[in-house]
mmCIF file of all heavy atoms in Angstrom:
data_model
loop_
_atom_site.group_PDB
_atom_site.id
_atom_site.type_symbol
_atom_site.label_atom_id
_atom_site.label_comp_id
_atom_site.label_asym_id
_atom_site.label_seq_id
_atom_site.Cartn_x
_atom_site.Cartn_y
_atom_site.Cartn_z
ATOM 1 N N ALA A 282 -41.695 -161.267 -122.472
ATOM 2 C CA ALA A 282 -43.097 -161.235 -122.056
ATOM 3 C C ALA A 282 -43.348 -160.016 -121.173
ATOM 4 O O ALA A 282 -44.336 -159.298 -121.344
ATOM 5 C CB ALA A 282 -43.452 -162.522 -121.314
ATOM 6 N N ALA A 283 -42.432 -159.771 -120.238
ATOM 7 C CA ALA A 283 -42.594 -158.617 -119.343
ATOM 8 C C ALA A 283 -42.539 -157.318 -120.135
ATOM 9 O O ALA A 283 -43.328 -156.395 -119.892
ATOM 10 C CB ALA A 283 -41.514 -158.637 -118.264
ATOM 11 N N GLU A 284 -41.619 -157.262 -121.105
ATOM 12 C CA GLU A 284 -41.548 -156.065 -121.953
ATOM 13 C C GLU A 284 -42.860 -155.852 -122.691
ATOM 14 O O GLU A 284 -43.343 -154.731 -122.810
ATOM 15 C CB GLU A 284 -40.399 -156.187 -122.958
ATOM 16 C CG GLU A 284 -39.052 -155.891 -122.357
ATOM 17 C CD GLU A 284 -37.915 -156.070 -123.349
ATOM 18 O OE1 GLU A 284 -38.064 -156.856 -124.305
ATOM 19 O OE2 GLU A 284 -36.880 -155.424 -123.146
ATOM 20 N N SER A 285 -43.438 -156.946 -123.170
ATOM 21 C CA SER A 285 -44.694 -156.824 -123.911
ATOM 22 C C SER A 285 -45.823 -156.318 -123.015
ATOM 23 O O SER A 285 -46.816 -155.801 -123.487
ATOM 24 C CB SER A 285 -45.079 -158.162 -124.537
ATOM 25 O OG SER A 285 -45.719 -158.992 -123.587
ATOM 26 N N MET A 286 -45.659 -156.487 -121.706
ATOM 27 C CA MET A 286 -46.688 -155.996 -120.775
ATOM 28 C C MET A 286 -46.408 -154.565 -120.343
ATOM 29 O O MET A 286 -47.091 -154.037 -119.471
ATOM 30 C CB MET A 286 -46.722 -156.870 -119.529
ATOM 31 C CG MET A 286 -47.156 -158.275 -119.774
ATOM 32 S SD MET A 286 -46.905 -159.175 -118.240
ATOM 33 C CE MET A 286 -46.421 -160.753 -118.881
ATOM 34 N N GLY A 287 -45.365 -153.980 -120.879
ATOM 35 C CA GLY A 287 -45.071 -152.593 -120.546
ATOM 36 C C GLY A 287 -44.184 -152.430 -119.322
ATOM 37 O O GLY A 287 -44.174 -151.369 -118.704
ATOM 38 N N ALA A 288 -43.446 -153.478 -118.955
ATOM 39 C CA ALA A 288 -42.545 -153.361 -117.812
ATOM 40 C C ALA A 288 -41.393 -152.417 -118.144
ATOM 41 O O ALA A 288 -40.870 -152.457 -119.252
ATOM 42 C CB ALA A 288 -41.985 -154.729 -117.441
ATOM 43 N N ASN A 289 -41.008 -151.565 -117.197
ATOM 44 C CA ASN A 289 -39.825 -150.737 -117.421
ATOM 45 C C ASN A 289 -38.590 -151.498 -116.960
ATOM 46 O O ASN A 289 -38.691 -152.604 -116.415
ATOM 47 C CB ASN A 289 -39.964 -149.379 -116.730
ATOM 48 C CG ASN A 289 -40.133 -149.492 -115.231
ATOM 49 O OD1 ASN A 289 -39.553 -150.383 -114.604
ATOM 50 N ND2 ASN A 289 -40.918 -148.615 -114.639
ATOM 51 N N LEU A 290 -37.432 -150.903 -117.182
ATOM 52 C CA LEU A 290 -36.183 -151.620 -116.918
ATOM 53 C C LEU A 290 -36.078 -152.058 -115.458
ATOM 54 O O LEU A 290 -35.712 -153.187 -115.157
ATOM 55 C CB LEU A 290 -34.990 -150.743 -117.307
ATOM 56 C CG LEU A 290 -33.626 -151.421 -117.178
ATOM 57 C CD1 LEU A 290 -33.542 -152.653 -118.054
ATOM 58 C CD2 LEU A 290 -32.508 -150.440 -117.528
ATOM 59 N N PHE A 291 -36.432 -151.149 -114.560
ATOM 60 C CA PHE A 291 -36.353 -151.488 -113.143
ATOM 61 C C PHE A 291 -37.255 -152.676 -112.812
ATOM 62 O O PHE A 291 -36.869 -153.597 -112.095
ATOM 63 C CB PHE A 291 -36.749 -150.267 -112.296
ATOM 64 C CG PHE A 291 -36.848 -150.593 -110.835
ATOM 65 C CD1 PHE A 291 -35.698 -150.665 -110.059
ATOM 66 C CD2 PHE A 291 -38.078 -150.852 -110.239
ATOM 67 C CE1 PHE A 291 -35.782 -150.990 -108.709
ATOM 68 C CE2 PHE A 291 -38.166 -151.177 -108.890
ATOM 69 C CZ PHE A 291 -37.015 -151.238 -108.134
ATOM 70 N N GLN A 292 -38.454 -152.650 -113.366
ATOM 71 C CA GLN A 292 -39.398 -153.746 -113.102
ATOM 72 C C GLN A 292 -38.879 -155.064 -113.676
ATOM 73 O O GLN A 292 -39.060 -156.122 -113.073
ATOM 74 C CB GLN A 292 -40.769 -153.417 -113.692
ATOM 75 C CG GLN A 292 -41.478 -152.296 -112.943
ATOM 76 C CD GLN A 292 -42.749 -151.847 -113.648
ATOM 77 O OE1 GLN A 292 -42.805 -151.760 -114.868
ATOM 78 N NE2 GLN A 292 -43.776 -151.555 -112.868
#
Side-chain angles (χ1 to χ4, degrees):
Chain A
E284 281 178 334
S285 82
M286 295 172 215
N289 60 35
L290 184 60
F291 173 80
Q292 290 172 321

